[in-house]
């Protein structure tokens, strides 16, 4: 009787150890899944922010308000040969920042834009 009790206790200890190993593996796999989902949500959020910024860059024309743009300088050095009366240009920066609803993810993008406008009625002489 005593040996069957020891065998039962040994079997129960073995089952307890196996249960602990299996539950640890399940916990690790759940953490792995949560980590992968979080990384995927972050990538989707960054893709959404980049798409929003690229739409802002392509939509940047005269209809965007000047408060969204920061004028860095007037005509850059490569336009120094042009008269200010012939070509009007602005070097601008456009920044887009996005914060997720649950405040876990934040990203921002910025671009430099050159806005040029040829003044109507002016002619460059070749003298």
């Amino acid at each position: 009787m005593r040996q069957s009790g020891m065998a039962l206790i040994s079997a129960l200890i073995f089952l307890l150890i196996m249960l602990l190993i299996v539950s640890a593996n399940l916990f690790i796999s759940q953490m792995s899944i949560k980590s992968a989902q979080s990384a995927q949500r972050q990538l989707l959020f960054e893709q959404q922010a980049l798409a929003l910024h690229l739409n802002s860059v392509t939509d940047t024309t005269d209809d965007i308000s000047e408060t969204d743009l920061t004028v860095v300088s007037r005509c850059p050095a490569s336009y120094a040969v042009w008269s200010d009366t012939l070509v009007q240009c602005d070097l601008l920066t456009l920044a887009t920042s996005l914060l997720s609803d649950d405040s876990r993810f934040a990203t921002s993008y910025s671009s430099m834009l050159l806005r040029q406008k040829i003044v109507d009625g002016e002619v460059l002489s070749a003298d």
Side-chain angles (χ1 to χ4, degrees), residues 89-102:
C89 53
D90 297 320
L91 188 61
L92 310 160
T93 59
L94 175 67
T96 304
S97 297
L98 197 60
L99 182 65
S100 67
D101 294 335
D102 56 1

Side-chain angles (χ1 to χ4, degrees), residues 70-125:
T70 305
V71 177
V72 176
S73 73
R74 293 292 166 198
C75 288
S78 62
Y79 289 92
V81 296
W82 296 99
S83 169
D84 200 27
T85 59
L86 295 176
V87 176
Q88 293 175 350
C89 53
D90 297 320
L91 188 61
L92 310 160
T93 59
L94 175 67
T96 304
S97 297
L98 197 60
L99 182 65
S100 67
D101 294 335
D102 56 1
S103 300
R104 288 185 184 179
F105 308 117
T107 188
S108 65
Y109 293 97
S110 64
S111 297
M112 294 190 81
L113 307 168
L114 178 64
R115 184 169 53 189
Q116 313 173 46
K117 193 185 323 181
I118 297 176
V119 178
D120 293 333
E122 296 291 329
V123 179
L124 181 65
S125 64

Side-chain angles (χ1 to χ4, degrees), residues 18-33:
M18 292 304 291
L19 178 67
L20 289 174
I21 290 172
V22 168
S23 64
N25 285 337
L26 287 174
F27 179 74
I28 289 172
S29 67
Q30 285 295 322
M31 293 300 288
S32 177
I33 289 171

Side-chain angles (χ1 to χ4, degrees), residues 37-84:
Q37 288 173 345
S38 175
Q40 185 178 16
R41 281 195 307 266
Q42 183 176 4
L43 286 174
L44 289 173
F45 178 75
E46 286 188 16
Q47 181 183 13
Q48 177 188 9
L50 183 59
L52 179 69
H53 180 71
L54 291 177
N55 283 339
S56 296
V57 169
T58 55
D59 293 343
T60 301
T61 55
D62 293 333
D63 54 310
I64 194 166
S65 68
E66 290 296 321
T67 58
D68 296 337
L69 300 170
T70 305
V71 177
V72 176
S73 73
R74 293 292 166 198
C75 288
S78 62
Y79 289 92
V81 296
W82 296 99
S83 169
D84 200 27

